[in-house]
Amino acid sequence: MLVQSIEKGMECMSLSTPSSVASLYALLSISFWGVSFVSTKAVLHTLDPLTLLVLRFGIGALFLFFLILAQGISLRIHLKYVPHLIILGVLGVFIHQLLQASALLTIDASAAGWMISFAPIFTMFLSILFLQERLSMFKMGGVVLAVIGVLLVTSARTGHSLSFSLQIGYFLMLSSTFNWAVYSILLKKLAIPHPSLVITFYMCTIGFVLTLPFLFQTKGWQALPLLSGSEWLHLAFLGVFVSGVSYWFWAKSLEVMEASKVSAFLYLEPLTTLIAAVLLLHEEILLISVLGGVIVILGVIIANRPVLSNK
């Protein structure tokens, strides 16, 4: 199986460099999330956003369930950790995705893309307050560089300058980024003593159950026969890799690295989206996008400098 091969390959890289493996897990998560915008755009020609959301987490939960069975991992969870899983599922899956879906009803994807850069900033300050992580000048400098790079990449993709207005969509998107920061901090702080794969499965299942009523509200199942073969492939990718594997790998990276350092990889998401758009949608490559991408990568490297220098 592809996912198991990726996991075994990374874990066999070097037992003495867990931070490097954790960085790769975070990088893969961001890569899948970045490409998701391309797949989402392809599927939304047929499905409405809420139906897509339900199907994504339904497919993701089912995939993780069979992966757990294949690895022979127990699904048993101690009762005292059930409230923790419910909180993580509600925050990281249900509320996070609902806020983003609602925000995209009033603002465009490019505006939502650059607002994602607030999530690592929120995570950094929450990490200082609740996880006692230290804020170094290198980390702060990396954050500033990465934000600049994100702004260049996202503005270049649309050809518009970055603007902000008092629309409800911006407030919802900002709330979504703050919510993701809280989720990442809680996932790190709670440190539930169960395999991250099992934790992710229960979170994904909780998210699916909570979003399931939307399917009945929109009667989205009526559009399923209209999906083409390529659209089913995009939907499968969104369910398996974006809603399942990415959340799992994100949790695995948080097991080793500081929350603020893991969150810094979110700055790479617009860059991976740009690369996917160029390769899959044949969008034009602009010099300012390349410059922004280089600045983003440099910012992430600087923000994670202690991790990279302790190999």
Side-chain angles (χ1 to χ4, degrees):
M1 186 179 290
L2 177 59
V3 176
Q4 291 175 306
S5 300
I6 293 174
E7 183 187 15
K8 290 180 180 178
M10 290 195 294
E11 290 178 348
C12 291
M13 284 178 56
S14 174
L15 295 177
S16 62
T17 58
S19 60
S20 299
V21 177
S23 297
L24 284 176
Y25 277 124
L27 182 59
L28 281 171
S29 294
I30 295 305
S31 298
F32 292 141
W33 284 330
V35 177
S36 71
F37 288 102
V38 176
S39 291
T40 298
K41 182 176 181 179
V43 178
L44 284 179
H45 290 298
T46 306
L47 298 179
D48 65 89
L50 292 177
T51 299
L52 175 58
L53 190 62
V54 177
L55 294 175
R56 272 183 50 181
F57 285 104
I59 294 173
L62 189 61
F63 169 78
L64 292 174
F65 175 73
F66 284 115
L67 187 59
I68 289 172
L69 290 182
Q71 295 190 6
I73 301 175
S74 174
L75 282 168
R76 291 184 178 180
I77 292 286
H78 196 285
L79 286 177
K80 71 176 181 179
Y81 297 118
V82 172
H84 299 171
L85 289 172
I86 293 175
I87 292 173
L88 291 173
V90 170
L91 286 177
V93 178
F94 178 67
I95 293 180
H96 179 68
Q97 296 296 335
L98 184 60
L99 285 173
Q100 283 199 1
S102 301
L104 288 172
L105 293 176
T106 57
I107 63 175
D108 56 33
S110 61
W114 72 260
M115 291 191 74
I116 291 174
S117 63
F118 282 102
I121 298 174
F122 288 142
T123 304
M124 180 179 64
F125 287 109
L126 289 176
S127 298
I128 296 171
L129 291 175
F130 298 104
L131 299 179
Q132 287 74 53
E133 295 183 6
R134 299 177 61 183
L135 176 61
S136 65
M137 292 301 295
F138 277 106
K139 185 182 293 186
M140 193 64 188
V143 167
V144 173
L145 272 180
V147 170
I148 293 174
V150 168
L151 299 183
L152 289 175
V153 170
T154 51
S155 61
R157 286 191 66 210
T158 60
H160 300 294
S161 60
L162 298 169
S163 60
F164 188 88
S165 62
L166 295 179
Q167 294 183 23
I168 186 64
Y170 289 104
F171 173 76
L172 291 173
M173 194 64 201
L174 195 62
S175 299
S176 173
T177 59
F178 181 76
N179 174 77
W180 183 258
V182 173
Y183 160 76
S184 296
I185 295 298
L186 281 176
L187 187 60
K188 180 78 173 179
K189 183 75 172 179
L190 293 175
I192 301 174
H194 288 282
S196 55
L197 180 57
V198 175
I199 294 172
T200 307
F201 163 71
Y202 281 114
M203 286 170 40
C204 199
T205 302
I206 291 170
F208 169 69
V209 171
L210 292 176
T211 54
L212 188 57
F214 293 136
L215 188 64
F216 297 98
Q217 176 186 351
T218 61
K219 297 182 180 180
W221 65 81
Q222 296 178 350
L224 293 181
L226 303 177
L227 289 171
S228 65
S230 61
E231 288 174 331
W232 274 112
L233 288 176
H234 281 294
L235 183 59
F237 170 76
L238 289 170
V240 173
F241 289 97
V242 179
S243 299
V245 175
S246 293
Y247 273 82
W248 173 31
F249 282 0
W250 190 257
K252 288 179 74 69
S253 63
L254 282 169
E255 290 177 351
V256 177
M257 295 172 61
E258 293 180 356
S260 58
K261 292 175 181 176
V262 175
S263 186
F265 283 89
L266 285 171
Y267 292 121
L268 295 173
E269 187 171 334
L271 181 58
T272 58
T273 302
L274 171 64
I275 295 173
V278 171
L279 294 178
L280 301 178
L281 302 179
H282 308 293
E283 292 189 2
E284 182 183 1
I285 301 178
L286 301 176
L287 180 59
I288 190 172
S289 296
V290 176
L291 176 61
V294 172
I295 293 175
V296 168
I297 294 173
L298 181 61
V300 172
I301 291 175
I302 292 175
N304 287 276
R305 184 173 179 272
V307 172
L308 300 177
S309 62
N310 288 332
K311 290 183 179 180

